[in-house]
Amino acid sequence: MLARKTALVTGSTSGIGLGIAKSLARQGARIVLNGFGDVEGAQKELAALGAEVAYHGADMSKPAEIADMMKFAADRFGQVDVLVNNAGIQHVAAIEDFDPARWDAVIAINLTSAFHTTRLAIPAMRKANWGRIVNIASAHGLVASPEKSAYVAAKHGIIGLTKTVALETATTGITCNAICPGWVLTPLVQKQIEARAQAGGIDIEQAKRELLGEKQPSLQFVTPQELGELAVFMCSAAANNVRGVAWNVDGGWVAR
Ligand code: NAD
């Protein structure tokens, strides 16, 4: 379905980004990887699926590096047809203790980076009259939790950006949508589970059960594969008129 298309997935060396990159690769897309994790491992996993892969190590908090990555992708593969804005970090603290530098980093990586990649990707998508932009928001783009002010603000923000871009491209073959995962067992969440285990003097399995029990009625983690398959659907012709949605895949988190 995505043969001869190029997909750039930010923050794709682990977790959800890698899962989405693999799903898009299975559909024949060329992949531009980005992120600070195990680059070689991610490249190998994608190559095993027969994908052509390139990597750019842009720091998503740095606009000049983002611009360089977009130029690199266009030089290497012609243009970016599918843009997945996935890179993200978390910082947990009460607002009065929230380090302003961490606030700036969360907003830059989780929100502002998507503004830059999107503004730079759209001109070529308009020329081709085809493009797909998939923003990885969160259940925290729809509802809040305490001690995550920057993350919740960034994720609500990216849903606003998604809707605006969807409207600006509504008469074209470009669509822009958001996916809102609940808990997914990735390095980002593993850190929160470890912190919970340590704070409560409980083991990791108990910490996982408590984490799920608080928010996710299914009591199961969402998987990167499930999110990858939704991204594939959003890239399909069947989703030509799916525009500006914030689609939760959260085991019932926001249904309550
Ligand atoms: P992860 O930590 O496994 O992956 C994050 C990726 O972003 C990694 O590849 C990392 O190297 C990269 N990254 C971090 N800072 C970067 C920077 N400055 N520049 C470039 N890359 C950078 O986490 P994940 O859980 O897979 O998170 C992916 C996205 O999914 C994030 O936007 C996160 O907010 C969102 N999300 C995660 C969950 C969850 O439960 N894991 C739930 C909802 C939303």
Side-chain angles (χ1 to χ4, degrees), residues 117-127 133 165 168-169 174:
T117 54
T118 301
R119 74 182 173 79
L120 294 166
I122 283 213
M125 289 180 176
R126 280 198 192 276
K127 263 192 209 138
I133 300 170
V165 173
E168 291 186 19
T169 55
I174 305 166

Side-chain angles (χ1 to χ4, degrees), residues 10-18 34-37 57-61 85-89 109-110 136-140 151 155 179-189 191 221 253:
T10 69
S12 44
T13 51
S14 67
I16 295 169
L18 180 57
N34 160 260
F36 301 150
D59 180 335
M60 287 298 115
S61 66
N85 289 307
N86 167 79
I89 58 167
I109 295 165
N110 296 25
I136 306 307
S138 168
H140 283 120
Y151 189 83
K155 294 301 187 181
I179 296 177
C180 301
W183 292 122
V184 187
L185 192 54
T186 65
L188 183 140
V189 167
K191 278 187 215 149
F221 287 102
W253 181 322

Side-chain angles (χ1 to χ4, degrees), residues 57-211:
D59 180 335
M60 287 298 115
S61 66
K62 304 215 163 94
E65 292 188 23
I66 295 172
D68 193 63
M69 177 183 72
M70 298 305 288
K71 187 175 175 312
F72 164 83
D75 289 349
R76 181 72 189 266
F77 290 137
Q79 72 174 72
V80 173
D81 304 289
V82 176
L83 170 64
V84 182
N85 289 307
N86 167 79
I89 58 167
Q90 177 62 281
H91 184 69
V92 182
I95 187 123
E96 64 270 35
D97 303 325
F98 213 97
D99 176 357
R102 297 314 297 160
W103 170 279
D104 286 346
V106 172
I107 299 294
I109 295 165
N110 296 25
L111 176 59
T112 309
S113 71
F115 158 69
H116 289 297
T117 54
T118 301
R119 74 182 173 79
L120 294 166
I122 283 213
M125 289 180 176
R126 280 198 192 276
K127 263 192 209 138
N129 196 32
W130 197 90
R132 292 289 188 262
I133 300 170
V134 178
N135 293 325
I136 306 307
S138 168
H140 283 120
L142 300 166
V143 294
S145 295
E147 303 193 338
K148 294 188 174 174
S149 54
Y151 189 83
V152 169
K155 294 301 187 181
H156 276 66
I158 203 165
I159 291 177
L161 176 69
T162 301
K163 291 177 184 173
T164 303
V165 173
L167 290 180
E168 291 186 19
T169 55
T171 59
T172 75
I174 305 166
T175 70
C176 181
N177 293 294
I179 296 177
C180 301
W183 292 122
V184 187
L185 192 54
T186 65
L188 183 140
V189 167
Q190 189 66 33
K191 278 187 215 149
Q192 295 174 62
I193 291 169
E194 284 162 13
R196 179 184 279 264
Q198 210 181 4
I202 52 176
D203 67 23
I204 294 287
E205 286 312 309
Q206 179 66 17
K208 279 184 192 167
R209 277 194 295 277
E210 286 185 15
L211 187 93

